[in-house]
Amino acid sequence: HSVFSPRARSSNRGFTLIELLMVIAIIMILAGITFGISRGVQNAQARTRAKAELAVIAQALESYKSTYGDYPWTQNEEGDAAGLVLTKALLGWKVFVRSGTTTTFKDKAVSEVPSSGPKAFVDPTKLSTSGTIPSAPTTKPTDLAFTDPWGNEYVYAYKQNSSSWDNFGFILYSKGADSSAIAVGTNGILTTDIRGADDNIDNIYSGE
């Protein structure tokens, strides 16, 4: 038979439109599965990193308490946001000052800081941060906060209102991938309802 017979032409024809669409659909399904798996792996890695960073911060807070007798208060004399309170305290700038029976929590004066800088409880270069890490140990941070793998500040609270705070310890967590959270009340009690709220369902808490 001739190679140019109708049967030969039929066997060498290209894909039909339906066959092309089927191939495209299969490629898209496989790409979606691959993307989903990759995204899941990235999220798991981010959660692992957040837990490790929370452990570092929590340990630094324990060292701070061992030195000054209490954790940094969210309620403070300068009125700093909680993220800045945390970083200032762990870099040694925010301290407790006691005068008789009165205790205040405030910034150290630059004149009180030695040339080597204040006693720091954590190395900020080992953690992700928003704001600026001071280039000199004697420069007080003004906008620095520790951030989680999703770029959000770690949430810290302790004695937001010292008269109503009923939690023995501090509150420290990441908002997770959804970057949203409902905060605890001024009593500091992390209730089941708060933890189970939609905005808090993927929060990562220190010590868990």
Side-chain angles (χ1 to χ4, degrees), residues 161-196:
N161 185 321
S162 58
S163 63
S164 63
W165 189 266
D166 293 327
N167 189 339
F168 178 74
F170 54 81
I171 300 292
L172 178 66
Y173 63 89
S174 161
K175 295 178 181 179
D178 67 2
S179 302
S180 61
I182 297 174
V184 298
T186 55
N187 63 1
I189 302 301
L190 191 60
T191 65
T192 302
D193 287 343
I194 292 175
R195 294 187 62 132

Side-chain angles (χ1 to χ4, degrees), residues 40-55:
V41 170
Q42 290 176 348
N43 189 53
Q45 291 175 336
R47 290 183 69 85
T48 298
R49 178 179 149 200
K51 289 179 180 179
E53 290 181 344
L54 285 167

Side-chain angles (χ1 to χ4, degrees), residues 38-154:
S38 174
R39 191 172 181 182
V41 170
Q42 290 176 348
N43 189 53
Q45 291 175 336
R47 290 183 69 85
T48 298
R49 178 179 149 200
K51 289 179 180 179
E53 290 181 344
L54 285 167
V56 170
I57 296 170
Q59 182 57 50
L61 284 166
E62 295 298 339
S63 296
Y64 185 95
K65 183 182 180 182
S66 294
T67 300
Y68 294 110
D70 204 357
Y71 302 114
W73 296 347
T74 306
Q75 186 183 50
N76 67 98
E77 195 166 279
E78 286 76 21
D80 290 332
L84 183 55
V85 166
L86 181 64
T87 49
K88 273 186 177 181
L90 297 188
L91 292 180
W93 282 97
K94 253 186 175 5
V95 296
F96 291 103
V97 177
R98 295 174 176 84
S99 177
T101 59
T102 302
T103 299
T104 56
F105 178 60
K106 62 181 184 179
D107 284 3
K108 269 187 175 181
V110 174
S111 59
E112 298 176 282
V113 176
S115 59
S116 58
K119 176 184 177 181
F121 299 89
V122 69
D123 181 352
T125 64
K126 304 299 183 184
L127 297 165
S128 297
T129 58
S130 64
T132 306
I133 298 175
S135 57
T138 52
T139 302
K140 186 186 304 182
T142 58
D143 61 349
L144 191 64
F146 300 125
T147 56
D148 66 16
W150 298 276
N152 304 301
E153 290 184 16
Y154 284 111

